[in-house]
Amino acid sequence: MRVGSMFAGIGGICLGFKYAGASIVWANEQDKFACKTYRHVFGQDYLVEGDIRKIELDSIPDFDVLTAGFPCQPFSIMGKQKGFADPRGTMYFEILRVIDFKKPGVVLLENVKNLIKHDNGNTFATICKTLIDRGYFIKYSVPGPDTHANTPQYRDRLFIVAFASEKMAEQFSFPEKMPLERSVNDIIDRSAPVDEKYYYKKDNPYYDSLNSRMIDNNAIYRIDDSGVAMMAWHICPTLKANMGTYHDRVPLIRDSFGIRKLTPEDCLALQGFPKGFNFPNVPQNEIYKQLGNTVCVPVVVRIAREIRRVFNFYDT
């Protein structure tokens, strides 16, 4: 099963499909730092760096499945929700341009769950209609790491799977829920020190407030718009791309050595990436941005395995 990936980021969706036994034959990403990380992990072979609007369609190899975690900021409740009026929102129509030219048998789209409700449902209806008009049969679901991947992070995401074959669509089922059996402390080691740059020092303006409020050594906290940690989370709150823009938006824990941010390694584990995954020499803020923009890999693995099962059944 050959996969092409748009808005590939650091390759979370690609990694999920590789674990499901698929072959990635083409990927596209515009962000230069994300491309550097992608190549560091996957090699130089098939990633095309650049604006998808400037890529000649006849240069794209054939594939069976097109994946696209297209920009979510225009539809997120954390943003201005301009949707298709936001230039990033119009990137969905670039997906349609590729679909029209390549005509893949399966399309997988990923975005924030608020996309379903955005503009009173009109945005989601438009997406569904444009796929249906092209002969696709649609299924969608909103799985999360904590409910579908035994990973303690709140990160519900909308996944749309569209099949050119009605029989494939009928056979496909999104993965069922599974119990959450791992806690944050199964992932983060609070007994071992990390680099001191991740710790809040006493001269930090937030330190006194954090020190008085962060009383649960098993929880994760974060600084919100009011400027202080207001809530203890026993499942990690959603890791967001703004961790790269505002350094104090990285979730916090108290370990045996003080109050600190989650490290990139902590965040990778909470996104379900393998232990061997690491970053090249890119700025720290870009690493956190990449971590907030990617997907929970085990969620994608389960969906990709089901796509492959259906695909293989009807391909034989």
Side-chain angles (χ1 to χ4, degrees):
M1 189 171 73
R2 301 164 300 171
V3 175
S5 178
M6 297 177 66
F7 313 104
I10 63 173
I13 291 178
C14 292
L15 196 60
F17 272 85
K18 280 178 71 72
Y19 283 156
S23 174
I24 315 300
V25 298
W26 175 80
N28 170 243
E29 172 57 49
Q30 182 174 2
D31 184 280
K32 65 178 182 179
F33 294 111
C35 287
K36 189 171 183 179
T37 299
Y38 191 105
R39 292 192 182 100
H40 176 71
V41 175
F42 295 93
Q44 304 282 343
D45 294 343
Y46 53 77
L47 178 69
V48 178
E49 180 176 345
D51 188 337
I52 185 62
R53 293 169 294 186
K54 298 178 181 179
I55 293 176
E56 295 294 333
L57 296 178
D58 57 8
S59 70
I60 301 173
D62 292 337
F63 46 75
D64 307 297
V65 180
L66 176 65
T67 71
F70 58 107
C72 64
Q73 293 86 351
F75 312 107
S76 172
I77 58 174
M78 301 303 295
K80 296 181 179 179
Q81 300 194 58
K82 291 185 177 180
F84 292 141
D86 186 315
R88 294 168 298 182
T90 62
M91 290 297 101
Y92 171 70
F93 298 104
E94 293 302 310
I95 298 172
L96 295 181
R97 187 170 72 96
V98 174
I99 289 173
D100 288 342
F101 191 84
K102 303 303 297 185
K103 294 180 170 53
V106 187
V107 177
L108 177 138
L109 306 178
E110 180 268 344
N111 212 284
V112 293
K113 68 176 181 179
N114 189 62
L115 181 63
I116 296 174
K117 297 180 180 179
H118 181 266
D119 190 23
N120 296 315
N122 290 322
T123 299
F124 184 62
T126 296
I127 289 173
C128 291
K129 183 177 186 302
T130 54
L131 291 171
I132 292 169
D133 286 349
R134 286 163 170 77
Y136 285 93
F137 299 87
I138 295 171
K139 288 191 173 181
Y140 68 92
S141 184
V142 187
D146 59 316
T147 55
H148 290 77
N150 192 24
T151 304
Q153 184 196 168
Y154 291 119
R155 194 183 188 84
D156 291 347
R157 284 295 186 268
L158 169 66
F159 287 87
I160 302 170
V161 181
F163 294 90
S165 163
E166 185 174 10
K167 289 184 178 180
M168 281 191 183
E170 290 173 349
Q171 285 292 317
F172 174 85
S173 296
F174 278 98
E176 296 183 355
K177 290 185 177 181
M178 61 191 302
L180 179 62
E181 298 176 338
R182 293 194 299 165
S183 71
V184 167
N185 286 338
D186 291 321
I187 291 177
I188 299 173
D189 183 1
R190 298 180 194 245
S191 66
V194 299
D195 192 302
E196 65 176 18
K197 68 183 178 182
Y198 297 111
Y199 288 93
Y200 275 66
K201 307 298 190 296
K202 291 185 178 180
D203 60 354
N204 187 287
Y206 292 124
Y207 182 85
D208 289 340
S209 179
L210 294 172
N211 192 44
S212 66
R213 292 173 183 263
M214 292 179 63
I215 58 176
D216 188 339
N217 291 345
N218 294 307
I220 289 184
Y221 293 78
R222 68 178 175 189
I223 295 172
D224 60 23
D225 289 339
S226 67
V228 293
M230 298 295 292
M231 183 183 296
W233 302 73
H234 291 87
I235 297 176
C236 183
T238 302
L239 299 173
K240 300 176 182 177
N242 69 0
M243 296 188 302
T245 306
Y246 307 101
H247 65 90
D248 285 322
R249 295 308 169 100
V250 181
L252 307 166
I253 63 169
R254 186 187 287 275
D255 69 12
S256 301
F257 307 90
I259 295 170
R260 71 168 176 86
K261 304 173 185 178
L262 298 186
T263 65
E265 292 73 23
D266 295 332
C267 295
L268 280 170
L270 288 163
Q271 292 283 40
F273 279 74
K275 288 185 178 181
F277 192 101
N278 57 71
F279 290 93
N281 184 24
V282 297
Q284 187 83 7
N285 65 309
E286 293 293 335
I287 289 175
Y288 278 116
K289 176 184 173 183
Q290 291 171 17
L291 286 163
N293 271 332
T294 193
V295 296
C296 181
V297 174
V299 173
V300 179
V301 171
R302 294 189 71 196
I303 296 172
R305 283 175 176 165
E306 174 67 1
I307 291 174
R308 188 183 180 208
R309 182 191 69 80
V310 172
F311 181 87
N312 287 348
F313 181 82
Y314 283 100
D315 193 45
T316 57

